[in-house]
């Protein structure tokens, strides 16, 4: 390891000034506690998918022309059998009660359907009359559907489900929106009966469910992670005091990582919620290395000397592992997505802060560590038979690795980038279930806008609106489409929108069909998330292509972001993974002043990535999403830590005069034990992510654990085999 | 200080306005449901309202709230005030769904107030004579509105609503 690096990060300064170090730590913790009440949670689900790309900019420009961003609360009533007249009466009562809320501007429901004023038989009459016929509640609706095909009636064809959309009044703050969503959900229960459920969904309802689940995740991760980490430290050290020396600094580092969110002004999101638990397990691993070494020092030496020796031996390696992990996090920032930039900064700052806190914490608590009274747990050591393989059968180990790499690489090449919204929503939440049910039964509720730039000729412009409307309806006859052309059909004037029909529109809806100056006209399709499944994606592509061919100038909306930006993000994160590999490995090679080490470390650290990516065929139906790539990137940056500790020990042994085989054997037996312990510790700590309600977080945890396990095997077998074969000489 | 004392003495000499027991009963928050027609001849539609009533120092009942039919909602407002010296009421009722503001005259009739009003049909401009009856109980009250052509003809119910606290 480079001399300057070793001098700086192996300094005995904290050991010589233990009280001052403890005071500094106390001040940092006090500042962190003061920041915690400012912790915020992400409540904008669109931000998680949006880049600064053309789709996001176009949607932002569109929203700027509206009075306010349309905020809909979607209510789904779904029964096991067709809804009866009494159900419809009860649901209409719910609609009316929702309309009475101050926070609600209007409700679109089957009960607001009316025959057009020009209809000769029933001009302006509601399709559902004041009295709904118990013997034939859908008679009038069937006639309406036959007379006006294409108009969304918001009742499922099999009559078992009904949808209504409450548009909230503009200018509400998030607290008011949350109250409105809760109140709408409460009112909906009035129509429930056994076999008929009423649930809310929509962007805001989803966002609140996500916030609640994130808060639960943080609490659960902290609880489970801390308990697991302490219990494992107890098992490994077989004593409360040394376990506390390893655990408490890590818990403090995790606490400080929580304070980094408000410090940097970032909210907790589905992507960065894993940072505190990661920091906890990484910090426990670092603290364990220090405590382990401290206990190995002769008991008779003064504490300051023992601490100085530990910091000199372990401090640089811990610093290097923290820097490589921070590099891995920082590499995520190349994706150019706001939330990933935040994760990159949060992760990098938290990991580096954790390094400082762990050093200070172990120094402060050092008197508790004592000397080792018990032999290390025997089951932690590398089995003797396995330990011989890299030395005695290095060629076989390398060939086996090549075969595994070939198989894993082939499988990894066949994973498909894919990321549906529902994977970002908490499991078992009625909001998510309703979201999926609306997509399955009604074709979705997300607005896909097609904009048409008006020409000076109104008839020609309306003709293009008509052409785009027809093209979208032809591309998917089941899709709900709204435009001035649809209204014109309803009003009985297909050639133009009659003034009275235009005048009957709510101003907020009129703005959605046209900018105030009339320069841009819009056709709106209510669609599912495009990445729901392959069929939905193909249909989305077909609709967009049809609209653009028919004369639309642009396709805009959250569905466009989901279709394009999410996949782009996965690709960009892939670049981040490559950058993480280059950065982290180059840093290690530079610190050890050995360019060849770059290639030697690449082999055992990239192989686990191929294995884990291949495992996506089992873990996630062969699909790779943003969380999976994030997991690979962060796992790589952490997994290389074991390589660093192994190489560090090997170099120290060689410097002490040991032969290559003896140095490898010592590194495997001594560092190998710690590598097993820390991998076990980190993996067990990350098991907490399996308690998350978010499939993405669980996948992230699984990817990390799998990568660590594969990396451990590679570091204990392949890395020494490569060194044994002379790939790297020291 | 002196000016304040004069105002206070003046108020005492004027004495409190006797509270109208029927209007007092209507004070508070109410939710109503029933059916209503936007105009004579239109089909009946389900309607719900929520109103907050208050009686001021002059004994006037002010009503404010929101009414909704499927697909539309609007603010609703009204007031009823006793006419001093005679057992009658003066009222204004703003129909949120089309017929505009109505001026009404009313008389107590047991536990009810019977209002009458004149209006024009929004489409035909025909003059109509209307009746609005408020039947008031302790925890609920009903409002029934009907119209007949001024020149004679059958009565048509415009709305029937029951309010409860």
């Amino acid at each position: 390891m480079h001399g300057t690096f070793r001098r700086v990060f192996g300094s005995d300064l904290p050991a010589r000034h233990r009280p001052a170090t403890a005071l500094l730590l106390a001040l940092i913790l006090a500042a962190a506690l003061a920041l915690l009440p400012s912790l915020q949670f992400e409540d904008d689900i669109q931000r998680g998918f949006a880049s600064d790309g053309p789709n996001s900019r176009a949607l932002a420009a569109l929203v700027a022309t509206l009075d306010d961003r349309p905020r809909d609360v979607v209510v789904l009533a779904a029964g096991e059998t067709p809804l009866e007249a009494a159900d419809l009466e009860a649901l209409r009562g719910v609609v009316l009660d929702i309309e009475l809320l101050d926070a609600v501007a209007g409700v679109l429901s089957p009960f607001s359907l009316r025959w057009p004023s020009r209809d000769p038989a029933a001009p302006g009459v509601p399709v559902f009359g004041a009295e709904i016929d118990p013997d034939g509640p859908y008679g009038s609706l069937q006639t309406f559907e036959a007379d006006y095909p294409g108009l969304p009636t918001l009742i499922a064809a099999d009559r078992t489900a009904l949808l209504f959309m409450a548009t909230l009044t503009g200018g509400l703050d998030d607290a008011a929106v949350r109250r409105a969503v809760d109140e709408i959900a409460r009112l909906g229960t009035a129509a429930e009966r056994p076999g008929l459920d009423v649930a809310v969904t929509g962007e805001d309802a989803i966002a609140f469910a996500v916030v609640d689940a994130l808060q639960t995740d943080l609490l659960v991760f902290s609880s489970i992670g801390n308990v697991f980490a302490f219990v494992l430290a107890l098992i490994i050290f077989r004593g409360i005091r040394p376990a506390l020396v390893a655990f408490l600094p890590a818990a403090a580092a995790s606490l400080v990582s929580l304070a980094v969110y408000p410090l940097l002004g970032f909210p907790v999101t589905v992507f960065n919620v894993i940072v505190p638990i990661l920091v906890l397990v990484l910090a426990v691993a670092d603290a364990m290395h220090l405590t382990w070494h401290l206990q190995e020092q002769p008991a008779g030496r003064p504490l300051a000397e023992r601490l100085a020796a530990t910091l000199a031996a372990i401090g640089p390696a811990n610093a290097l592992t923290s820097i490589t992990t921070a590099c891995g996090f920082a590499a995520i920032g190349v994706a150019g997505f706001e939330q990933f930039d935040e994760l990159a900064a949060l992760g990098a700052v938290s990991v580096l802060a954790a390094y400082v806190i762990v050093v200070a914490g172990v120094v402060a608590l050092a008197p508790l560590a004592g000397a080792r009274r018990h032999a290390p747990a025997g089951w932690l050591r590398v089995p003797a038979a396995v330990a011989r393989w890299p030395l005695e059968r290095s060629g076989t180990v390398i060939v086996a690795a090549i075969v595994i790499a070939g198989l894993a690489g082939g499988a990894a090449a066949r994973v498909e980038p894919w990321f549906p919204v529902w994977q970002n929503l908490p499991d078992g939440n009625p909001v998510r279930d309703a979201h999926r049910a609306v997509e399955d039964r009604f074709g979705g509720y997300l607005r896909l806008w097609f904009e048409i730039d008006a020409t000076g000729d109104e008839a020609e412009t309306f003709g293009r609106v008509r052409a785009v409307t027809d093209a979208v309806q032809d591309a998917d006859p089941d899709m709900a489409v709204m435009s001035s052309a649809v209204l014109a059909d309803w009003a009985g004037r297909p050639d133009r929108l009659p003034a009275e029909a235009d005048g009957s529109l709510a101003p907020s809806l009129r703005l959605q069909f046209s900018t105030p100056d009339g320069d841009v006209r819009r056709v709106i399709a209510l669609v599912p998330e495009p990445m729901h499944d392959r069929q939905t994606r193909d249909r989305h592509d077909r609709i967009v292509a049809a609209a653009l061919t028919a004369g639309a100038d642009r396709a805009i909306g959250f569905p466009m972001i989901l279709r394009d930006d999410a996949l782009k993000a996965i690709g960009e994160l892939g670049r981040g993974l490559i950058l993480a590999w280059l950065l982290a490995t180059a840093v290690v090679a530079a610190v050890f002043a050995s360019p060849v080490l770059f290639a030697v470390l690449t082999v055992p650290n990239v192989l686990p990535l191929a294995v884990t990516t291949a495992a996506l065929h089992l873990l996630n139906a062969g699909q790779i999403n943003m969380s999976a790539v994030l997991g690979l990137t962060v796992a790589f940056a952490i997994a290389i830590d074991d390589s660093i500790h192994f190489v560090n020990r090997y170099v120290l042994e060689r410097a002490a005069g040991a032969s290559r085989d003896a140095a490898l054997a010592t590194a495997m037996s001594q560092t190998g034990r710690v590598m097993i312990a820390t991998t076990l510790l980190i993996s067990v700590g990350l098991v907490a992510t399996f308690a998350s309600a978010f499939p993405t977080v669980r996948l992230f945890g699984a990817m990390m654990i799998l990568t660590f396990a594969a990396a451990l095997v590679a570091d204990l077998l392949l890395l020494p085999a490569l060194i044994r074969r002379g790939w790297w000489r020291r | 200080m002196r000016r304040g004392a004069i105002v206070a003495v003046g108020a005492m000499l004027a004495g409190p306005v006797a509270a109208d027991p029927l209007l007092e009963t209507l004070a508070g928050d109410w939710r109503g449901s029933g059916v209503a027609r936007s105009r004579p001849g239109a089909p009946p539609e389900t309607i719900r309202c929520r109103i907050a009533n208050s009686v001021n120092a002059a004994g006037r009942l002010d009503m404010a709230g929101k009414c909704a039919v499927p697909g539309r909602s609007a603010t609703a407002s009204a007031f009823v005030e006793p006419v001093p010296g005679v057992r009658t009421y003066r009222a204004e009722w703003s129909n949120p769904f089309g017929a505009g503001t109505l001026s009404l005259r009313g008389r107590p009739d047991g536990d009810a107030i019977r209002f009458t009003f004149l209006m024009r049909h929004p489409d035909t401009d025909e003059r109509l004579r209307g009746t609005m009856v408020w039947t008031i109980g302790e925890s609920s009250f009903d409002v029934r509105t009907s119209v007949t052509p001024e020149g004679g003809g059958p009565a048509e119910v415009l709305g029937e609503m029951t309010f409860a606290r």
Side-chain angles (χ1 to χ4, degrees):
Chain A
M1 197 174 281
H2 198 280
T4 307
F5 190 90
R6 189 172 281 286
R7 272 196 303 280
V8 171
F9 293 101
S11 166
D12 64 351
L13 197 67
R16 284 192 285 115
H17 303 282
R18 215 170 60 80
T21 304
L23 180 64
L24 176 68
L25 180 62
L27 290 174
I28 292 173
L29 288 178
L33 284 171
L35 278 168
L36 280 188
S38 311
L39 197 62
Q40 301 281 321
F41 292 83
E42 179 63 80
D43 58 4
D44 181 354
I45 60 165
Q46 291 196 11
R47 208 170 68 91
F49 298 88
S51 67
D52 189 30
N55 284 324
S56 298
R57 285 199 298 272
L59 181 57
L62 185 151
V63 170
T65 67
L66 307 175
D67 272 349
D68 200 359
R69 176 161 73 95
R71 303 181 84 159
D72 294 328
V73 181
V74 179
V75 183
L76 173 72
E80 293 162 0
T81 55
L83 302 175
E84 298 172 1
D87 298 324
L88 296 173
E89 300 262 17
L91 288 164
R92 181 165 58 188
V94 171
V95 168
L96 291 172
D97 283 340
I98 292 172
E99 283 185 326
L100 288 179
L101 296 175
D102 287 331
V104 172
V107 181
L108 196 62
S109 76
F111 309 110
S112 45
L113 290 173
R114 286 170 187 273
W115 300 90
S117 54
R118 288 169 180 266
D119 188 274
V125 172
V127 172
F128 286 98
E131 303 265 331
I132 298 176
D133 182 2
D135 298 324
Y138 299 106
S140 184
L141 180 68
Q142 282 165 353
T143 309
F144 184 86
E145 287 171 333
D147 289 353
Y148 301 98
L151 273 179
T153 61
L154 305 180
I155 289 191
D158 62 3
R159 311 305 192 208
T160 59
L162 177 156
L163 192 68
F164 43 94
M165 300 167 76
T167 302
L168 302 184
T169 50
L172 296 179
D173 61 23
D174 284 345
V177 172
R178 183 159 196 147
R179 281 196 299 275
V181 170
D182 290 345
E183 184 63 11
I184 289 169
R186 189 190 67 76
L187 289 171
T189 59
E192 286 186 328
R193 61 164 172 77
L196 172 60
D197 294 320
V198 180
V200 299
T201 187
E203 284 183 34
D204 286 305
I206 287 171
F208 297 137
V210 167
V211 168
D212 291 344
L214 282 174
Q215 288 170 339
T216 305
D217 268 11
L218 264 190
L219 194 65
V220 169
F221 291 176
S222 301
S223 308
I224 297 179
N226 280 301
V227 169
F228 278 7
F230 183 61
V231 168
L232 211 58
L234 267 180
I235 292 171
I236 288 170
F237 286 103
R238 296 202 270 178
I240 289 179
R241 289 181 167 194
L244 284 174
V245 177
F247 167 73
L248 286 179
S254 180
L255 178 75
V256 169
S257 75
L258 276 174
V260 173
Y261 291 85
L263 184 68
L264 298 181
F266 301 149
V268 180
T269 70
V270 175
F271 295 115
N272 66 31
V273 68
I274 42 79
V275 168
I277 180 76
L278 266 179
V279 166
L280 174 74
V281 295
L282 294 177
V284 168
D286 278 358
M288 200 173 282
H289 278 290
L290 290 167
T291 309
W292 199 287
H293 193 277
L294 190 61
Q295 285 194 316
E296 284 178 341
Q297 303 300 305
R301 290 175 72 185
L303 179 62
E305 281 183 27
R306 285 189 282 140
L307 264 176
T310 292
L311 291 178
I314 307 296
N318 276 0
L320 186 54
T321 58
S322 299
I323 290 168
T324 53
T325 305
C327 285
F329 271 112
I332 292 167
V334 300
F337 282 67
E338 197 177 358
Q339 285 208 8
F340 299 146
D341 292 346
E342 293 174 7
L343 172 61
L346 272 170
V349 171
S350 296
V351 165
L352 295 176
Y355 163 75
V356 175
I357 289 163
V358 164
V359 168
V362 171
V363 167
L365 298 171
L368 292 177
R372 182 169 300 147
R373 292 178 188 167
H374 307 282
W379 51 271
L380 279 177
R381 68 169 175 266
V382 183
V386 176
R388 284 197 298 272
W389 290 353
L391 302 178
E392 296 174 4
R393 300 178 192 171
S394 55
T396 308
V397 168
I398 291 170
V399 168
I402 290 169
V403 171
I404 292 170
L407 292 173
R414 292 224 291 275
V415 299
E416 185 179 14
W418 201 273
F419 192 26
V421 170
W422 64 265
Q423 285 187 353
N424 232 21
L425 309 183
D427 275 348
N429 189 298
V431 171
R432 175 184 138 149
D433 295 342
H435 167 82
R436 299 214 73 187
V438 171
E439 298 212 316
D440 288 337
R441 306 178 84 155
F442 292 94
Y445 57 85
L446 301 176
R447 283 179 171 82
L448 175 58
W449 317 69
F450 297 105
E451 286 195 338
I452 296 127
D453 294 332
T455 61
D457 184 343
E458 179 56 33
E460 194 259 334
T461 301
F462 188 80
R464 285 174 63 207
V465 172
R466 153 81 50 213
V468 172
T469 303
D470 291 347
V472 173
Q473 285 179 331
D474 288 347
D476 184 356
D478 296 330
M479 181 163 295
V481 182
M482 300 186 291
S483 73
S484 52
V486 173
L487 271 181
D489 285 344
W490 176 80
R493 290 295 304 266
D495 57 324
R496 66 183 172 85
L497 178 62
E500 66 270 21
D502 187 37
S504 69
L505 282 181
S508 59
L509 193 57
R510 194 179 301 133
L511 277 175
Q512 293 186 36
F513 288 160
S514 168
T515 51
D517 55 14
D519 284 353
V520 176
R521 310 298 168 85
R522 299 183 182 119
V523 175
I524 304 166
L526 296 179
V527 301
E529 55 171 301
M531 306 307 279
H532 187 96
D533 53 35
R534 285 184 178 78
Q535 192 182 359
T536 311
R537 179 198 59 187
D538 294 345
R539 190 175 58 176
H540 169 93
D541 292 348
R542 202 168 56 239
I543 291 166
V544 172
L548 295 177
T549 305
D553 292 294
R554 292 168 294 281
I556 301 173
F558 191 35
M560 295 301 293
I561 292 173
L562 292 173
R563 172 69 180 93
D564 298 334
D565 291 27
L567 296 187
K568 184 179 158 216
I570 295 171
E572 292 297 314
L573 286 172
R575 283 203 311 137
L577 174 58
I578 293 170
L579 186 64
W581 156 56
L582 291 172
L583 265 178
T585 317
V587 165
V588 179
V591 168
F592 282 94
S594 170
V596 179
L597 192 58
F598 181 91
V600 173
L601 289 186
T602 291
V603 176
N605 283 291
V606 170
L607 177 62
L609 298 184
V611 170
T612 310
T613 305
L616 282 169
H617 289 284
L618 300 173
L619 294 173
N620 202 39
Q623 295 173 352
I624 187 163
N625 59 27
M626 292 187 244
S627 290
V629 190
L630 286 173
L632 287 172
T633 309
V634 178
F636 174 85
I638 295 170
I640 201 170
D641 294 357
D642 278 350
S643 304
I644 293 169
H645 284 293
F646 186 92
V647 169
N648 186 44
R649 187 65 183 243
Y650 171 77
V651 169
L652 288 174
E653 293 298 321
R654 289 286 281 164
S659 69
R660 184 171 60 193
D661 283 4
L664 285 174
T666 306
M668 285 179 70
S669 66
Q670 296 303 312
T671 311
R673 190 195 303 274
V674 183
M675 285 159 62
I676 293 172
T678 53
T679 301
L680 192 64
L681 182 79
I682 294 172
S683 301
V684 168
L686 283 172
V687 165
T689 59
F690 295 168
S692 172
F694 296 100
T696 47
V697 175
R698 295 198 300 270
L699 181 65
F700 182 91
M703 299 285 286
M704 298 273 287
I705 291 171
L706 201 52
T707 306
F708 293 147
L712 178 67
V713 175
D715 280 326
L716 287 176
L717 297 180
L718 185 56
L719 180 58
L722 292 173
I723 296 174
R724 172 76 178 73
R725 302 293 285 192
W727 282 42
W728 187 54
R729 296 178 190 282
R730 269 290 162 103
Chain B
M1 181 67 188
R2 187 176 169 196
R3 187 177 165 199
I6 290 170
V7 171
V9 170
M12 288 168 65
L13 288 175
V17 174
D20 184 284
L22 284 175
L23 298 188
E24 285 284 344
T25 308
L26 292 173
D29 294 337
W30 299 86
R31 295 184 76 87
S33 62
V35 293
R37 300 173 200 269
S38 60
R39 62 194 64 199
E45 298 186 40
T46 51
I47 183 169
R48 289 198 181 185
C49 298
R50 60 168 172 78
I51 51 173
N53 297 345
S54 59
V55 179
N56 68 12
R60 176 172 127 150
L61 175 75
D62 285 305
M63 311 170 76
K66 192 176 181 185
C67 289
V69 296
R72 293 174 71 191
S73 64
T75 55
S77 63
F79 74 80
V80 184
E81 60 187 6
V83 179
V86 287
R87 292 188 66 237
T88 58
Y89 299 95
R90 193 174 76 81
E92 261 189 25
W93 179 272
S94 161
N95 183 330
F97 297 114
T101 301
L102 296 174
S103 292
L104 305 96
R105 289 277 171 179
R107 286 183 177 281
D109 181 7
D111 61 353
I113 302 175
R114 192 174 295 274
F115 294 100
T116 57
F117 60 91
L118 288 171
M119 65 176 283
R120 286 186 183 276
H121 193 291
D123 297 333
T124 65
D125 212 30
E126 182 186 13
R127 285 173 66 86
L128 304 166
R129 187 175 294 281
T131 307
M132 183 186 287
V133 181
W134 293 17
T135 307
I136 302 165
E138 274 301 312
S139 57
S140 69
F141 72 97
D142 298 326
V143 178
R144 186 174 194 276
T145 309
S146 60
V147 292
T148 53
E150 199 174 35
E156 183 178 8
V157 175
L158 274 190
E160 284 182 300
M161 290 191 73
T162 298
F163 286 84
R165 290 189 190 277

